[in-house]
């Protein structure tokens, strides 16, 4: 067959640059029941900076009573060590949060609303129109302060309550935010419903329609399709991905299933394939291995358990003796003895 | 950019037939410390037949002292209900095993040796030449009985002790088995070292060189690349995959990491993308959900936990009240009240 020549170019990165954006400190830690001490959060953020992540979502400027795990947002955002070239972003839900984030020197504000009407009401307790109006005020606040804005649209690839979400509905919201002057949009697969064919189609369509917008893809591995979705998006031209250290984060609709795609798994796979993420995998894995002690439980990361593919294992302790016997038996066999 | 038109065809199955081959009863159960009662194994095999798997590796005709979990090989192989069109295969290590499997009416004998010299000695306690000589006798036995033979080559994509395994070494063994008249070869990623670029290259090269051989790809999800590797192989023309119900099976070199790719995860993903596996996903998931009670622990399967992507969830119990308040606040907003 023609298989040998028809293979897609996506499997070979050939040095293509992929920007890895870390969301574990926010999307991950906000789900944890343990409060990670402020100095440990700062140390983790610094380790992630050193590892070479392109963007780090440092925290969330929400109400401390709503998300107590991130009640130290100001201190963390102010005290991290900033690596030149790395973008330090923070989630903000409203103008008050934006003001706090800007005062704390966030490089970018990350705004969230849902592409699903039902999910927006259930999760944010606002209608989509209300969310948009509120976020428009936040955009204005950021623009006045000359701080960049990214909008994360939830449920782009499906809603756990509504089912399919029409791409036209998603693109309608993208257009309205682009009209406000927003430069970055994240297409979020909030509950792991995305699949590669859909991802390739939506990514290609979005990039074709708004070539000037910086699109990020945000996947969860809830149904085991995380890396495949990343590759489908890359094949459609995407070059920015959210991922979570250790695979932290979760999906409230699938207890026990994986959460966000795991940063070190994606970095490892892309490195194997020849993509350039700029991330030091060993440093990233070392950072992930700090997590269990901080959050009090094991992490989903497969790479933290298995190591990179060429992390070799010693032969068995008695390998010399086994080999000697195997060679002796091979000799017998050559001598004509039946051995089986 | 040209992204919209350049997307690879692999993301859209367009009804292409993919043969799913179940290895959980053998590759999975042999790793379990619990002995699954014979009647439960038979019931599982029958459920897998009913679910529409193309091939089922039913058991292993090894020494009962070596693998006590499968000491009931004869009874299981004889008493399963056979679905027309399904291939019932069994692992056999030697001529004695082949005779037992043939007497028990196996449709196919599955033979194993390693593409890595070190792994072959460590795992099979024989040199590769010795293994080949022994398996050549098994092939002759099968041919005399007119029973099909498949050879599973371990460590095709890397050896946990040696590191990289040269494709030329792999292809040398393939050629020697093809010369014996073997019709099927499985390229096994025994410890989850395969990555998509490598998979696409090796699959394409193997298919181009031996167009008459039925190649199967066998992946482990040890480093989270299982589904991506399946898709890379499909893109290179492969259409047969081993997978394990519930994601059973493991990798002795990566305790805690995932084992074989999970049958229901692969079937689910391929169905989303429009491939035709002939497998009834709901029946497969129902079979997987029997496993925890039989083996005494949770299974890695994400689909068993999360359900298929369109298995919807009810809105929160107080959704009506939340929505009413959200609509009221939207109205206030329209009236000019600042809400954030």
């Amino acid at each position: 067959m023609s298989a040998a020549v028809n293979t897609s170019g996506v499997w070979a990165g050939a040095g293509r640059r992929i920007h890895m954006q870390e969301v574990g400190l926010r999307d991950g830690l906000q789900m944890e029941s343990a409060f990670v001490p402020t100095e440990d959060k700062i140390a983790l953020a610094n380790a992630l900076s050193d590892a070479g992540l392109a963007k780090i979502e440092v925290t969330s400027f929400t109400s401390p009573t709503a998300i107590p795990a991130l009640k130290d947002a100001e201190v963390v955002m102010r005290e991290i060590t900033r690596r030149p070239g790395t973008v330090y972003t923070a989630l903000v839900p409203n103008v008050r949060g934006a003001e706090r984030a800007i005062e704390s020197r966030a490089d970018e504000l990350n705004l969230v609303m849902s592409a699903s009407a039902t999910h927006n009401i259930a999760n944010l307790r606002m209608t989509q129109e209300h969310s948009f109006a509120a976020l428009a005020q936040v955009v204005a606040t950021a623009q006045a302060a000359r701080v960049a804005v990214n909008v994360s649209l939830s449920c782009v690839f499906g809603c756990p309550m509504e089912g399919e979400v029409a791409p036209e509905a998603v693109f309608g919201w993208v257009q309205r935010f682009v009209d406000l002057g927003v430069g970055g949009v994240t297409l979020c697969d909030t509950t792991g419903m995305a699949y590669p064919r859909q991802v390739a189609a939506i990514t290609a369509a979005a990039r074709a329609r708004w070539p000037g917008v910086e699109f990020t893809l945000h996947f969860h591995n809830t149904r085991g399709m995380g890396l495949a979705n990343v590759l489908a998006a890359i094949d459609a031209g995407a070059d920015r991905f959210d991922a979570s250290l250790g695979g932290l984060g979760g999906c409230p609709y699938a207890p026990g299933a994986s959460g966000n795609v795991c940063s070190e798994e994606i970095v490892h796979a892309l490195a194997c394939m020849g993509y350039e993420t700029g991330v030091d995998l060993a440093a990233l894995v070392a950072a992930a291995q700090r997590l269990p002690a901080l959050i009090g439980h094991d992490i989903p990361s497969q790479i933290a358990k298995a190591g990179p593919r060429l992390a070799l294992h010693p032969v068995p302790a008695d390998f010399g003796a086994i080999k000697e016997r195997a060679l002796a038996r091979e000799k017998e066999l050559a001598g004509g003895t039946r051995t089986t």
Side-chain angles (χ1 to χ4, degrees), chain A:
Chain A
M1 310 296 174
S2 54
V5 294
N6 271 345
T7 307
S8 165
V10 74
W11 315 120
R16 206 165 123 196
R17 176 78 165 108
I18 302 292
H19 299 84
M20 294 299 301
Q21 308 183 159
E22 177 58 45
V23 300
L25 292 174
R26 199 278 302 169
D27 210 357
L29 294 189
Q30 74 177 16
M31 298 278 301
E32 296 297 328
S33 50
F35 178 79
V36 173
T38 305
E39 61 270 28
D40 291 312
K41 285 177 184 145
I42 293 168
L44 263 182
N46 292 346
L48 292 165
S49 290
D50 289 343
L53 278 305
K55 188 186 281 192
I56 300 173
E57 191 172 43
V58 178
T59 188
S60 174
F61 288 90
T62 31
S63 146
T65 51
I67 307 184
L70 303 180
K71 66 184 177 189
D72 52 7
E74 273 88 351
V75 183
V76 175
M77 185 53 97
R78 280 178 192 163
E79 299 199 357
I80 55 172
T81 303
R82 299 181 186 221
R83 189 170 173 269
T86 305
V87 175
Y88 298 90
T89 187
L91 191 143
V92 302
N94 50 34
V95 170
R96 178 70 198 110
E99 289 164 351
R100 292 167 59 202
I102 292 165
E103 282 161 27
S104 307
R105 299 192 294 117
D107 296 324
E108 179 192 271
L109 309 187
N110 186 27
L111 283 42
V112 176
M113 70 169 278
S114 184
S116 151
T118 305
H119 183 257
N120 204 78
I121 289 174
N123 193 45
L124 301 175
R125 309 201 159 220
M126 285 188 268
T127 64
Q128 287 173 302
E129 283 301 338
H130 191 163
S131 279
F132 181 79
L135 296 181
Q137 296 177 357
V138 177
V139 172
T141 304
Q143 287 169 337
R146 299 181 185 275
V147 171
V149 174
N150 183 81
V151 171
S152 287
L153 286 175
S154 308
C155 294
V156 162
F157 301 93
C159 166
M161 293 164 287
E162 286 188 13
E164 301 289 7
V165 170
E168 297 68 38
V170 172
F171 293 161
W173 292 111
V174 173
Q175 186 63 58
R176 289 179 70 177
F177 282 108
V178 169
D179 289 343
L180 294 180
V182 167
V185 174
T186 302
L187 305 174
C188 297
D189 177 30
T190 310
T191 63
M193 295 174 72
Y195 59 98
R197 186 177 68 183
Q198 174 197 36
V199 167
I202 290 179
T203 304
R207 293 186 73 253
R209 183 156 164 193
W210 296 282
V213 170
E214 194 176 274
F215 283 103
T216 293
L217 278 292
H218 173 114
F219 297 116
H220 282 230
N221 199 32
T222 320
R223 291 174 177 88
M225 298 189 282
L227 174 60
N229 283 331
V230 167
L231 294 171
I234 289 176
D235 198 32
D239 62 356
R240 294 189 168 268
F241 295 93
D242 282 353
S244 175
L245 189 69
L248 284 197
C251 170
Y253 296 97
S258 288
N260 294 73
V261 291
C262 169
S263 303
E264 58 270 30
E265 286 183 22
I266 302 296
V267 165
H268 173 265
L270 293 179
C272 287
M273 298 166 76
Y275 288 93
E276 183 52 71
T277 64
V279 178
D280 177 338
L281 180 65
L284 193 62
V285 171
Q289 284 167 339
R290 297 187 196 180
L291 288 173
L294 295 174
I295 59 179
H297 60 82
D298 193 19
I299 51 176
S301 172
Q302 305 265 27
I303 292 296
K305 296 182 185 85
R309 66 181 289 273
L310 289 177
L312 299 187
H313 295 257
V315 297
D318 55 346
F319 185 78
I322 296 171
K323 186 173 180 177
E324 212 167 281
R325 285 197 299 272
L327 287 167
R329 287 209 310 270
E330 185 192 316
K331 226 174 189 172
E332 280 171 39
L333 181 80
T337 317
R338 281 209 46 165
T339 56
T340 50

